[in-house]
Amino acid sequence: MSYEALPHRFAGRTPIAAARDAHETLEAGAGSGTTYRLAGRVLGRRGQGKAVFCDLEDRTARIQLLGSADELADEAFAALKGVSLGDIVGVEGELIRSRRGELTLRLTGYQLLTPCRLPLPDTFHGLKDVEARYRQRHLDLMVTPESRERFAVRSRIISSLRRFLDDRSFLEVETPVLQPLYGGAAARPFVTHHNALGRDLYLRIAVELYLKRLIVGGMERVYEIGKNFRNEGVSFKHNPEFTMLETYEAYADYHDVMAMTEQMVAQAALDALGTTVVVVRGESVDLAPPWRRLSLGEAIGAACGVNPLEGARDEAGLRAVLAADGVDTSRDRTWAALVDHMLSHYVEPHLNEPTFLVDYPVELSPLSRAMPADPTLTERFEAFCGGMEIANGYSELNDPDEQHARFEEQAAFGRAGDDEAHPIDEDYVHALGYGMPPTGGLGVGIDRVAMLLTGASSIREVVLFPAMR
RNA sequence: GGGCCGUUAGCUCAGCUGGUAGAGCAGGGGACUCUUAAUCCCAAGGUCGUAGGUUCGAUCCCUACACGGCCCA
């Protein structure tokens, strides 16, 4: 088969679902009198000699085709008899319902548009090999309807988030992926090199510090949806590149941001699924506001008996609590790292319902504003659902001197062996010197939200081409 | 990083106590005018993840490694 002889286009086609929907009430054995042109991939074939039945599938639906020697030209019928599973074809004919009750296009025209030259996976059992589904996503999408739907949900989530923010006068912006200095999160970066500039650059681990410069500049409400890169292990909830939404709103604090977060995620669920109720790890969970709010210290205290945020910073004491439960703390170099470890060990896995943990220690939150009543804590929250962190936000620290001091403290953590400590960003501190209004900021892990709304138990199910070894 | 499990035809899977492999679907050829996991006939398809070891003989037992899954850290 010469590709040059194959059509370059197929005009006037109707989505299969639209053709089906228009004739749902057609009776068995009856014709609709309506002619359609359909195109898609052949995923089933049942030969009958002088009659051929196929199943044609496009993005919207599947429908049966019936081609008979009586109604097709000899050449077209011969071509149809030679069809292979997986071939992409264009057809034309009257929509009827077969005697057995199946909506069917009775063909008067048939054209091969593109052949499938390789054998398809078993069209009955589908592609079961998880590794093959990730490495050859095109095959997975072809034969796994659930997979196609999962990525359609993901797409609807992202458009819902954009609509939500656009409706509230947020401006979508784009900031550098290649950065001279990384920041905005506790993570190890990827390093690359710019030949012409003769210097190393980092792939961003967050967009936070750039978006806040825009707030200093007076943009007031900004957001960015894009890839972040973190040079860390992969797990069911970690991919080295992942999609994050960050928003910054001038004149708002973390309470405002929490309210927006729960509304925005609930709206995304409504837009993507038609409901705010999702099934998470076997339990039905409602994402409708308001979400539960718990203080971080009390949540840890309730789970293990020790509230690490009460009294003095007792590094040895926390280490002993974790060690008593068999947790290896050898890589936790600071008191803050131990608190973070307690959170992820005792609390996070059990937060199935949407929950805001609030009031994080200052050592763990170098970019958040301190609480007036207790400067050891900050106006910060993280949102959890399904045992995962899905969002993080705070009242933004806008005091340049305090920010500089926090960076210095981070540098000390770095010298103590914390390889996720923030580097000092003098340029950012300088920008704060021009005055950043009181601001509330937010980061949302889009992949995690997509997992939540699709019931996926691995991030690889919601990332089209996940990182594989 | 640790533990457990898996890797056999393009796909889904069998393969006993160690004797160099089978099925269904797909792909090739043929029959069939209402089938829908269509059916029937014929032929073809394999470095049993990789490398060692034990053995007369290894898909099978042992070791290491690779890749993947699940659980723990």
Side-chain angles (χ1 to χ4, degrees):
Chain A
M1 169 54 68
S2 156
Y3 277 76
E4 283 145 41
L6 295 168
H8 289 216
R9 67 195 296 262
F10 185 78
R13 81 185 177 104
T14 302
I16 292 174
R20 295 192 69 102
D21 290 349
H23 302 284
E24 269 312 320
T25 59
L26 199 60
E27 286 179 16
S32 69
T34 312
T35 294
Y36 290 99
R37 285 166 66 80
L38 308 177
R41 201 181 278 276
V42 173
L43 289 179
R45 193 183 61 159
R46 298 170 291 283
Q48 284 292 321
K50 299 239 167 13
V52 175
F53 292 89
C54 292
D55 294 324
L56 182 73
E57 189 170 279
D58 71 8
R59 193 177 76 171
T60 64
R62 181 185 274 234
I63 196 166
Q64 176 169 266
L65 309 177
L66 166 57
S68 71
D70 297 344
E71 299 187 59
L72 277 170
D74 290 349
E75 201 174 306
F77 185 69
L80 175 61
K81 288 206 73 167
V83 74
S84 290
L85 282 199
D87 282 354
I88 294 163
V89 305
V91 296
E92 179 172 326
E94 182 193 0
L95 199 132
I96 63 164
R97 195 178 286 279
S98 73
R99 284 172 222 159
R100 299 288 181 85
E102 182 81 27
L103 269 182
T104 300
L105 198 72
R106 194 209 301 269
L107 302 188
T108 52
Y110 168 86
Q111 263 183 300
L112 177 65
L113 301 178
T114 308
C116 176
R117 300 203 299 197
L118 298 169
L120 240 44
D122 189 314
T123 52
F124 180 68
H125 295 95
L127 196 55
K128 292 277 179 54
D129 183 326
V130 182
E131 186 175 357
R133 289 185 48 240
Y134 298 155
R135 289 192 195 272
Q136 297 196 72
R137 186 67 88 179
H138 47 283
L139 287 181
D140 177 43
L141 293 169
M142 239 179 258
V143 302
T144 317
E146 300 78 19
S147 192
R148 284 200 297 274
E149 174 59 16
R150 208 174 288 123
F151 288 106
V153 167
R154 181 185 168 113
S155 176
R156 291 200 292 270
I157 291 167
I158 292 172
S159 37
S160 173
L161 297 172
R162 279 210 166 84
R163 208 175 313 123
F164 184 98
L165 293 162
D166 292 345
D167 286 349
R168 285 160 181 75
S169 306
F170 281 80
L171 293 181
E172 181 169 8
V173 297
E174 292 174 274
T175 63
V177 171
L178 295 174
Q179 304 180 345
L181 188 62
Y182 63 96
R188 293 209 306 268
F190 288 92
V191 189
T192 186
H193 186 78
H194 192 294
N195 293 334
L197 293 181
R199 64 166 301 171
D200 284 347
L201 292 169
Y202 301 98
L203 273 65
R204 66 186 181 194
I205 59 171
V207 299
E208 170 159 357
L209 301 184
Y210 281 93
L211 293 193
K212 287 197 282 195
R213 285 171 169 96
L214 302 180
I215 298 295
V216 171
M219 293 186 82
E220 293 189 355
R221 294 180 178 200
V222 294
Y223 75 95
E224 178 162 4
I225 294 174
K227 286 283 184 71
N228 288 344
F229 307 84
R230 296 185 184 175
N231 206 340
E232 293 164 354
V234 302
S235 79
F236 73 95
K237 57 182 180 179
H238 293 97
N239 198 56
E241 56 181 287
F242 63 99
T243 304
M244 181 103 132
L245 161 68
E246 289 196 40
T247 76
Y248 291 85
E249 179 180 3
Y251 312 111
D253 73 359
Y254 77 136
H255 291 294
D256 300 315
V257 177
M258 276 189 275
M260 183 179 85
T261 302
E262 59 193 3
Q263 281 175 45
M264 183 166 62
V265 172
Q267 187 62 48
L270 271 180
D271 290 343
L273 305 173
T275 173
T276 58
V277 178
V278 295
V279 177
V280 181
R281 301 191 298 186
E283 188 187 328
S284 196
V285 157
D286 195 344
L287 298 171
W291 296 356
R292 186 165 56 141
R293 284 150 169 80
L294 283 176
S295 96
L296 172 67
E298 286 169 14
I300 295 175
C304 73
V306 176
N307 179 341
L309 307 188
E310 273 180 347
R313 280 15 185 171
D314 180 7
E315 182 176 332
L318 301 191
R319 204 176 289 281
V321 171
L322 283 160
D325 287 315
V327 179
D328 174 13
T329 60
S330 60
R331 276 182 294 191
D332 301 321
R333 303 299 174 85
T334 61
W335 175 87
L338 289 162
V339 174
D340 198 30
H341 205 154
M342 293 177 98
L343 163 60
S344 56
H345 182 75
Y346 293 115
V347 182
E348 179 172 11
H350 308 294
L351 293 177
N352 215 37
E353 296 208 18
T355 304
F356 290 116
L357 293 184
V358 299
D359 306 342
Y360 278 54
V362 66
E363 295 91 333
L364 211 47
S365 315
L367 303 164
S368 313
R369 198 162 184 165
M371 301 182 74
D374 180 356
T376 69
L377 298 177
T378 61
E379 295 189 347
R380 176 181 176 196
F381 70 86
E382 289 188 304
F384 295 86
C385 191
M388 290 182 301
E389 178 199 347
I390 59 170
N392 173 34
Y394 29 90
S395 304
E396 302 296 336
L397 177 58
N398 63 350
D399 173 345
D401 294 336
E402 171 68 11
Q403 184 63 74
H404 196 270
R406 301 275 191 93
F407 278 143
E408 292 288 0
E409 180 181 42
Q410 287 290 313
F413 292 160
R415 287 190 295 274
D418 180 356
D419 55 9
E420 294 187 345
H422 276 68
I424 299 178
D425 190 335
E426 299 284 3
D427 187 67
Y428 173 68
V429 173
H430 186 252
L432 288 183
Y434 289 99
M436 180 169 77
T439 297
L442 170 69
V444 178
I446 302 289
D447 311 278
R448 303 272 181 88
V449 172
M451 287 172 70
L452 206 54
L453 298 195
T454 59
S457 54
S458 165
I459 194 170
R460 290 177 163 182
E461 292 292 347
V462 299
V463 171
L464 279 166
F465 300 99
M468 303 289 283
R469 190 180 288 265

